[in-house]
Amino acid sequence: MQTLTRITRNTEVMGGKPCIRGMRVTVGTIVGLMASGHSNSDILKAYPYLE
């Protein structure tokens, strides 16, 4: 299994939910936005610090 270095988990950050490395943005938030039909450019406008 490949180690994902851009996703981290820390019990003291966002209740231990998987987050984008070094940020308080959960993976679930990004996946939820994508599932709702938001485009990559929409998401990057809302979270400009993401790659």
Side-chain angles (χ1 to χ4, degrees):
M1 178 183 245
Q2 181 182 8
T3 302
L4 302 174
T5 59
R6 291 185 182 193
I7 299 173
T8 59
R9 290 181 69 190
N10 180 342
T11 57
E12 296 181 13
V13 177
M14 301 301 287
K17 294 179 182 177
C19 292
I20 307 300
R21 176 187 64 226
M23 300 178 198
R24 296 180 65 86
V25 178
T26 66
V27 174
T29 297
I30 302 302
V31 171
L33 288 169
M34 294 179 81
S36 296
H38 292 276
S39 68
N40 288 350
S41 61
D42 290 340
I43 295 169
L44 290 174
K45 284 178 190 174
Y47 300 95
Y49 40 85
L50 294 178
E51 297 177 2

